[in-house]
Structure formats: C-alpha cells, structure tokens
Amino acid sequence: MNISTFKPLAAHRAPGTLHIQSPEDGAPVTEQSAATEVMTDFARVNAVTIRPQASLFQANETMIAQGVRLLLVTSEDGKLMGIVSTRDTLGERPMQLLHQGKGNLFELKVSDLMHALTDIDMLDFDEVRHANVGDMVATLRRLGQQHVLVMAPQGADGQARVRGVFSATRISRQLGIDLKPFQTAR
C-alpha cells in the first residue's frame, strides 16, 4: 500500500463529558419503520455459529458470551445445518431426550437439540426489504416463532446465503413495548 496517496484525518481532544452511542439512540423505531431496521444483518455483523458436535453446555456458554439467544449450526465447511436456541437448550427438550434414553445431560450435543435446516421457515430478503416492522411482528406471530431467518438471493458465487435474522426480543426492545412470547407448540 502506498500510504502517500491517502490523506490523514485531523485528531481532536474529547470534550469534558462523552456518552457512548447505542443502536437505540438513533431514530426511534415504529411499526412503520423499515423491517431492515430491526433485522440482525449478517452483512454488517458476524453470525454467531456453533458446530453440531458441541455440547449443550458449550452452546449455552456461547450464547451467554455473545449475548444472543440463537446459534446457527454449521458444518466444518461453513454450510448451515440448522439452528439451536435457548428454548432448545434450557427448555424441556433436554429432559425429553433424557427420558427417551439419549444418555445423560453431559453427553447431549447441539445435533441432538437443533432444528434441521429442512424444518426451518425462512423469509426472502427481497420481500423483507419492502416490509415494515409491523409486518415482521405479524409474521413472527403467524409463524409462532421467536426468531426467523432471512435468505438472500444467490451471490456472485452462485450460493444462497442466510442474510440475517429477526428476533422478537430485539423488536420488543427497539419498539419499547412488551411483545408476548411467540413460541407455540408444534
């Protein structure tokens, strides 16, 4: 890199008091705001992933450390295999598996608890770009889900991608209202 072709910016001293910007400090989100305002966009932030052979405890630790409630389960070569959430790892599913004779709590793996890719409802990013936050709330309620993934059209390499995820918890926080839990029995 030839540094002589770039222009350095001026540095400034901080004033006496500064606050830290947060995403919620921007324009307030309303039901009419663009849906992309409340989507976790993997083009801007890294997705939090885990391998299927990881333990139940590793999944919980990863979610706590990353401040998320949903992990994308990926193969060694980065292909999406499924999802696992705190509802899966901390809910009734581990106990149900134990009662079915699937070993003990320390032996449970993400692959035992995850929802396979073929069982996951997804949205199309082209449709999401034209939707608003209210549409997303209605979608999550209709699906009975806490999260929904967004699929992007095929990229330059010809591969479809997961572009992002919507979370009812994040939408609730950004709208400043308490949305009732969406998860329904299936």
Side-chain angles (χ1 to χ4, degrees), residues 67-124:
V68 298
R69 295 180 181 175
L70 178 83
L71 299 173
L72 302 180
V73 182
T74 58
S75 63
E76 294 297 326
D77 60 356
K79 291 182 182 149
L80 182 65
M81 298 175 67
I83 58 173
V84 66
S85 73
T86 54
R87 289 181 183 249
D88 301 319
T89 62
L90 299 175
E92 295 176 15
R93 291 193 69 202
M95 292 303 149
Q96 290 171 344
L97 291 173
L98 295 178
H99 288 321
Q100 295 171 5
K102 301 280 185 184
N104 65 49
L105 204 54
F106 300 103
E107 295 171 340
L108 288 179
K109 304 282 183 217
V110 167
S111 59
D112 297 322
L113 300 164
M114 74 179 203
H115 299 275
L117 183 59
T118 55
D119 297 331
I120 301 171
D121 293 316
M122 294 191 194
L123 303 177
D124 185 276

Side-chain angles (χ1 to χ4, degrees), residues 112-161:
D112 297 322
L113 300 164
M114 74 179 203
H115 299 275
L117 183 59
T118 55
D119 297 331
I120 301 171
D121 293 316
M122 294 191 194
L123 303 177
D124 185 276
F125 184 64
D126 288 334
E127 292 180 33
V128 166
R129 289 187 319 182
H130 302 289
N132 61 36
V133 174
D135 297 332
M136 294 317 307
V137 171
T139 301
L140 286 164
R141 281 198 173 129
R142 182 180 53 80
L143 294 172
Q145 295 295 320
Q146 188 71 23
H147 300 93
V148 65
L149 296 178
V150 179
M151 225 178 2
Q154 293 183 348
D157 61 1
Q159 300 294 316
R161 303 242 187 284

Side-chain angles (χ1 to χ4, degrees), residues 24 28-31 35 37-40 69 87 133-134 136-138 140-141 145-147 166-183:
E24 288 80 23
V29 172
T30 70
E31 292 88 354
E37 292 291 316
V38 296
M39 181 179 88
T40 300
R69 295 180 181 175
R87 289 181 183 249
V133 174
M136 294 317 307
V137 171
L140 286 164
R141 281 198 173 129
Q145 295 295 320
Q146 188 71 23
H147 300 93
F166 285 99
S167 161
T169 302
R170 178 176 177 187
I171 294 171
S172 293
R173 187 171 45 247
Q174 287 188 263
L175 285 176
I177 61 174
D178 183 27
L179 298 174
K180 301 297 178 212
F182 294 124
Q183 193 77 20

